[in-house]
Amino acid sequence: AATSNNYTLKQPMSGHTYKVTLDVHTELDIVWETDWRGKLVRVKQFRLIDSLPGPASEDGRIKIGHTLLEINGKPVPNDFHETIKNRC
């Protein structure tokens, strides 16, 4: 079984893409949002886990507004909710 998920994200202004690896056994603190068509997936906010920052916000590279491109090397398909259910 996998011990981590690899996320590829893009910064909106520069277009720079980067990869972040997070442990699958740690609760993810990112709250995602989609555009009205459900095609673009962005970081909406970070939530606290047990009153503390989680791994994504602690990483420091992930910011509100960054766009999710891939999870574990697979592009985010048109139905984002299926992606999350099947890969996370």
Side-chain angles (χ1 to χ4, degrees):
T3 59
S4 62
N5 279 322
N6 298 299
Y7 299 88
T8 303
L9 294 105
K10 181 172 81 170
Q11 297 174 350
M13 295 300 219
S14 69
H16 172 74
T17 62
Y18 60 97
K19 294 184 186 296
V20 177
T21 301
L22 300 172
D23 188 326
V24 295
H25 303 294
T26 304
E27 192 173 347
L28 189 61
D29 56 327
I30 296 175
V31 176
W32 303 103
E33 70 177 349
T34 61
D35 65 354
W36 65 275
R37 296 173 301 153
K39 304 230 184 262
L40 290 176
V41 181
R42 289 183 289 264
V43 177
K44 179 179 181 181
Q45 65 187 35
F46 296 98
R47 61 185 180 84
L48 297 177
I49 299 172
D50 296 327
S51 301
L52 297 170
S57 58
E58 286 286 304
D59 178 87
R61 293 175 289 171
I62 303 172
K63 306 289 183 204
I64 292 171
H66 287 193
T67 305
L68 178 65
L69 301 176
E70 298 175 342
I71 299 175
N72 295 328
K74 297 180 182 170
V76 176
N78 289 340
D79 188 347
F80 173 66
H81 299 289
E82 285 299 312
T83 301
I84 293 300
K85 185 167 62 174
N86 293 330
R87 299 195 191 137
C88 296

